[in-house]
Each structure stands twice: as structure tokens, then as C-alpha cells.
Amino acid sequence: MVETLSIAVIGAPGVGKTSIIRQFIYNDFSEAYTPTRTRYVYRPSVILNGNMYELKILDVPPISSFPSSSSQEWLDLRCRGVRNANAYILVYDICCVESFEYVKMIRQQIVEHRESSSSEVPILVVGNKRDLQRQRFMPRRAVSVLVKKTWKCGYVECSAKFNWHVVLLFKELLGIAVARGMRQNHTSIRLQGALQRNRCTIM
Ligand code: GDP
Ligand code: MG
């Protein structure tokens, strides 16, 4: 039996959401920007600390706000599955303050709009494009303190371009999700190829 965890990846356009997911699953990166127009679901299987999990990673296209109700979610195809995700990755570009403001707004809306029993959902804030850090708008330490202490979210910086901290961020989020018992359902084991780094293995 394998546990399934759905993870919604949300952020402003162009911050690198698709690049992070594709680097994690396919070890692939493209300099060319192809905006994500429709919701896309990736389903890798991973092993963390000896346990297998099936991930349902939602690459969410730009949305103006977190769906405030189930009916709003069903009316807007881009948001399907977003309200009931087991965990969130909120991505911003460390060189773009507006993309951080967007993450701030979405985090607030997740806390306000999810059912109260699930308000403790794991949220990991990810600062992408670390390779461009000379142009960052705020020191890493200041953002990290704000996100961890005030927002009570995890914080990781990565570079999808250079595959730096990409596996780490998924490992970090999974660790928090599993520790909080955010389990969805059980499905049968499906083994695909294998790629191993650290103790987090993508199957
Ligand atoms: P999305 O709209 O959030 O899905 O963003 P994409 O993943 O499509 O990436 C947008 C643009 O940023 C593309 O041109 C990528 O090549 C570029 N990009 C993504 N991640 C990085 C990164 O870590 N560093 C740099 N320098 N560019 C990146
Ligand atoms: Mg995209």
C-alpha cells in the first residue's frame, strides 16, 4: 500500500514553478519560457526514508486568488483540486518583489479559506532563481525569518536552472506533511524508472 499526497504549486507567472517540477521529475530545464495556461498534473512516485509515496503535483496556472469555496473551485478549471491539496509549495522569484507579494496574499487566503480542520496544512515558501542572487530584493535571512517566524511556513531557496536544492525542497515538504499525518488515500504500488539522490528517490 502506498500513500498519495497531493501538492499544489502556486506562484506568480514566470517565477519557475514548471521548471522546478520538471527539474525534480525529469532532470530537465529549458531557458525558453512557455507560460502554463492550463492546470497540469504530474504523478511521480518517491521514496522518503524507506517509505513510498505517490505524489500528485498540481502545476497551477496563474490564478487571481485562492478559491474561497468549493463551488468557485469547480467553476474555474485552473483551480481543480487546489482547495483540498495536502500541501502547498508557494514559489516566488528572489529578484521580483511583486512575486513575493503574490505569495504573501495566497498564503493569507489559504489560511482564511480552507476548512478550519485543515488550516494546519503544510506550506513551503520557495525562493527560486537563487543563481541570480546578486539581484535579490531582500536578504535571505530577513525573508527566512519573516516566513518561518511570522507566517509559520517552511522556507527554502533553490535554483531550478542549476538543480540546486530542488530535491531538498520536496524532501522538506514531504517530511512536514508526513509528520503531520496529511495522508489522503491508499493506492496500489506502481514502480516506474529510478533516480536516486540523498534519501529521497523519484521512482
Ligand atoms: P512558471 O510560469 O512559474 O511556470 O515559470 P517557468 O518554469 O515557465 O519559468 C519561467 C522562466 O524562468 C523560464 O524562462 C525559465 O527558463 C526561467 N527560470 C526558471 N527557473 C529559473 C532559475 O532557477 N534560474 C534562472 N536564471 N531562470 C529560471
Ligand atoms: Mg508554468
Side-chain angles (χ1 to χ4, degrees), residues 176-193:
I176 307 169
V178 171
R180 291 199 192 167
M182 295 293 183
R183 289 138 194 199
Q184 202 175 34
N185 55 357
H186 297 272
T187 53
S188 59
I189 295 177
R190 252 189 299 133
L191 286 174
Q192 296 147 11

Side-chain angles (χ1 to χ4, degrees), residues 92-104:
Y92 79 99
D93 171 349
I94 63 164
C95 310
C96 174
V97 68
E98 292 82 10
S99 70
F100 187 69
E101 291 299 325
Y102 179 85
V103 158
K104 187 175 168 184

Side-chain angles (χ1 to χ4, degrees), residues 14-19 29-31 33 128-129 131 159-161:
V15 294
K17 301 177 293 297
T18 304
S19 301
F29 177 77
S30 164
E31 291 278 355
Y33 178 33
N128 187 39
K129 308 198 185 182
D131 54 291
S159 168
K161 182 171 180 173

Side-chain angles (χ1 to χ4, degrees), residues 11-19 21 33-38 42 59-62:
V15 294
K17 301 177 293 297
T18 304
S19 301
I21 299 169
Y33 178 33
T34 312
T36 309
R37 303 207 189 279
T38 53
Y42 297 81
D59 187 356
V60 182

Side-chain angles (χ1 to χ4, degrees), residues 7-190:
I7 300 170
V9 183
I10 306 175
V15 294
K17 301 177 293 297
T18 304
S19 301
I20 290 171
I21 299 169
R22 294 190 64 84
Q23 187 61 275
F24 177 60
I25 299 175
Y26 305 122
N27 262 13
D28 176 42
F29 177 77
S30 164
E31 291 278 355
Y33 178 33
T34 312
T36 309
R37 303 207 189 279
T38 53
R39 171 183 164 282
Y40 201 88
V41 183
Y42 297 81
R43 293 179 172 272
S45 300
V46 302
I47 291 177
L48 179 71
N49 299 337
N51 297 313
M52 181 177 282
Y53 302 92
E54 287 198 338
L55 304 186
K56 185 178 163 192
I57 303 176
L58 308 180
D59 187 356
V60 182
I63 48 175
S64 55
S65 61
F66 186 82
S68 58
S69 65
S70 302
S71 52
Q72 192 193 333
E73 180 177 274
W74 280 96
L75 284 171
D76 187 347
L77 277 176
R78 294 169 304 173
C79 304
R80 283 286 159 85
V82 165
R83 274 174 65 78
N84 292 323
N86 299 116
Y88 295 92
I89 294 177
L90 304 185
V91 186
Y92 79 99
D93 171 349
I94 63 164
C95 310
C96 174
V97 68
E98 292 82 10
S99 70
F100 187 69
E101 291 299 325
Y102 179 85
V103 158
K104 187 175 168 184
M105 174 191 82
I106 295 287
R107 201 241 18 142
Q108 188 60 39
Q109 293 174 346
I110 291 173
V111 173
E112 283 167 11
H113 298 321
R114 276 183 61 114
E115 316 299 322
S116 56
S117 60
S118 59
S119 60
E120 285 289 291
V121 66
I123 302 174
L124 183 70
V125 175
V126 171
N128 187 39
K129 308 198 185 182
R130 177 68 194 256
D131 54 291
L132 303 177
Q133 78 151 332
R134 283 199 195 143
Q135 295 145 50
R136 65 184 309 145
F137 64 85
M138 195 169 162
R140 191 192 66 82
R141 173 118 189 98
V143 191
S144 175
V145 167
L146 171 70
V147 170
K148 289 182 178 169
K149 299 258 164 72
T150 312
W151 299 3
K152 312 275 185 251
C153 299
Y155 185 70
V156 171
E157 291 196 351
C158 76
S159 168
K161 182 171 180 173
F162 293 102
N163 201 2
W164 190 75
H165 279 183
V166 172
V167 172
L168 178 96
L169 76 89
F170 280 95
K171 202 175 152 190
E172 181 114 349
L173 184 70
L174 261 178
I176 307 169
V178 171
R180 291 199 192 167
M182 295 293 183
R183 289 138 194 199
Q184 202 175 34
N185 55 357
H186 297 272
T187 53
S188 59
I189 295 177
R190 252 189 299 133

